[in-house]
Amino acid sequence: MALSAVVVACCAVTVTVKVVGADTQATRPPRLLDQEAVERQASAAARGSKNMSRDGVACPAAMGAEEGNKFDCTVLVGSNPKTVTVTVRDDQGRLDTTTHTS
């Protein structure tokens, strides 16, 4: 009788630990890039490093900082829109940009 109580108690602890461990990972918020910094970098890629104004720059909100993520920003250069593809290079938030004429 005592042995079966110990087995039931061990099973309960194991299930509790697994459930708590799963919840901890599920509630961790995703890492996001700083939208203002991304917009300045997209502006510099399209307009040159001397014009990093965010005016006329549109990037998606809530850009994930996971390596390999890609997203497009639109940058107005004069009256001409340019698309800047931003690629997350690594989990430290380093980015690569490629500019395309829209």
Side-chain angles (χ1 to χ4, degrees), residues 42-57 75-77:
S43 177
R47 299 174 179 154
S49 61
K50 293 187 179 190
N51 187 352
M52 295 178 61
S53 169
R54 292 177 48 229
D55 293 337
V57 180
V75 180
L76 286 178
V77 180

Side-chain angles (χ1 to χ4, degrees), residues 24-74:
T24 301
Q25 292 176 2
T27 59
R28 183 180 304 158
R31 291 183 50 199
L32 301 176
L33 296 171
D34 177 343
Q35 185 166 1
E36 290 181 17
V38 172
E39 289 175 351
R40 282 192 298 275
Q41 190 164 343
S43 177
R47 299 174 179 154
S49 61
K50 293 187 179 190
N51 187 352
M52 295 178 61
S53 169
R54 292 177 48 229
D55 293 337
V57 180
C59 293
M63 297 169 280
E66 292 80 32
E67 181 178 350
N69 276 1
K70 288 185 178 187
F71 43 89
D72 290 333
C73 297
T74 302

Side-chain angles (χ1 to χ4, degrees), residues 72-90:
D72 290 333
C73 297
T74 302
V75 180
L76 286 178
V77 180
S79 60
N80 301 318
K82 289 190 176 184
T83 299
V84 177
T85 300
V86 179
T87 304
V88 180
R89 188 183 325 156
D90 59 29

